Structures are given as C-alpha cells and as structure tokens.
Amino acid sequence: MPGNRYTRRTALELVGTAAVIDLAGVATAQSDENGESGEQLPIVLAGRTEYWYGVAPEEIEGEENPALNFEEGREYELVWINVDGAEHELIVEDEDGGELEASDSSETAGEAVSMSFEASENAAEYYCEYHPETMRGGVEFDGGFDLSSHDHAEHEHEHDGAGNETDEDDGDAGY
C-alpha cells in the first residue's frame, strides 16, 4: 500500500520480537478438573488494520481473524501485539453487539496488550474498536484451546542474543 510504512516483513519482525518474550512468563495459574493447579499459556494475536493474525496457540498460528475456542467459565489471558502502529483495541461482544470485555488500546508498534477474562457463552465475536470491519473474528465454545504450559515445553526454541531461533530443524516459521 502506498504510504504504509509497515510492510508484511516489518509486521512479522515485530511479531518475532514479541515472540522472544517468554510466554510462559505470562502464564496464569489454573486449576484443572481434579483441583490441581497448573500454568496456562495466553492466546496471542497480532493486530494490524487488515486483520487479527493468530500467533499462539498452534491451532490459530498464521490464520487471519482466527476463531477463538473457549471453555465456558474458564479464565483466559489474551495478549495482542500492535504490529502496524495504528490504534487498536480488542473487544469481545455478545450476539446482540453488546460489549462483554475490552482491552486497553494501543497505537505503539511492538507494544503487547494483555487482558484477562472469564469466558462466557454469551461471547459471539471479537473485533477491533477502530477497525471493526476488517479486524473481526468468531468465538467458539468447543472445549477451549489446549493452553497448558507442560504440553508446549517441547515446542520451545532457543534464541540467540538477537532473538533469532537457533533450532536447525525448525526452518521457516510459516510466515
């Protein structure tokens, strides 16, 4: 786009920089059905005026405006990263368009915004307050994503001081 100083490459570099953040560090304590507590990784999206981009978990990685899969009554941490420097704010709404949850807004490229909320089956969609036509995705209640930190430990990658992955077999991350 003419005049748009944020290219796809720039957006991916910002997402990559944010991915260096140890997402397990923002994991939230959860209790499973047996009452045992564990860590839960956040759901991570990247925001740009054209769409929300799925970063984590793996089920939504690389998808534009991915459907978010929740479990009724479960507490979630949702993190979104501003990748284009435009103002964004993530809102979860019900079927009637009523606001259920809202994050803080950001217009700083590279900034990560976090919000915690309890999933309610009233939730129908999520969108950006400032770009509601292009940045909009659905909400599903199909048992929720597997966000347990122990299952994701085997997928962790080492990074060098510049934030580059050092795993030789990983190759292109699919961006």
Side-chain angles (χ1 to χ4, degrees):
M1 289 174 81
N4 183 354
R5 61 190 177 118
Y6 295 100
T7 64
R8 175 175 163 80
R9 181 176 198 82
T10 302
L12 295 174
E13 287 171 358
L14 288 170
V15 170
T17 299
V20 172
I21 299 168
D22 180 11
L23 293 178
V26 294
T28 56
Q30 297 291 311
S31 295
D32 65 14
E33 58 274 356
N34 299 324
E36 298 176 25
S37 70
E39 295 291 316
Q40 176 177 295
L41 296 171
I43 296 169
V44 183
L45 300 171
R48 54 182 300 157
T49 58
E50 295 88 358
Y51 48 77
W52 293 106
Y53 184 83
V55 177
E58 190 174 311
E59 292 94 330
I60 64 169
E61 185 179 329
E63 289 186 32
E64 295 177 10
N65 294 322
L68 302 183
N69 187 357
F70 298 129
E71 180 181 335
E72 168 78 23
R74 186 171 176 185
E75 187 78 17
Y76 288 90
E77 183 81 14
L78 199 149
V79 175
W80 63 268
I81 303 155
N82 185 323
V83 295
D84 63 4
E87 188 165 12
H88 301 294
E89 178 180 345
L90 190 141
I91 296 175
V92 178
E93 70 179 1
D94 63 21
E95 288 184 10
D96 297 325
E99 183 178 305
L100 298 175
E101 304 289 339
S103 73
D104 290 336
S105 65
S106 170
E107 57 184 315
T108 304
E111 181 176 13
V113 177
S114 177
M115 64 185 275
S116 296
F117 64 95
E118 184 176 314
S120 162
E121 285 202 21
N122 293 334
E125 290 187 305
Y126 67 97
Y127 67 96
C128 173
E129 172 74 11
Y130 304 99
H131 311 98
E133 298 302 316
T134 58
M135 297 178 72
R136 182 175 292 271
V139 172
E140 300 174 348
F141 287 88
D142 189 24
F145 295 129
D146 179 7
L147 301 171
S148 55
S149 60
H150 64 82
D151 289 342
H152 297 276
E154 67 191 51
H155 298 293
E156 289 181 7
H157 303 284
E158 293 183 21
H159 293 85
D160 63 17
N164 299 311
E165 288 187 9
T166 57
D167 286 352
E168 292 179 22
D169 63 333
D170 192 41
D172 184 9
Y175 299 106

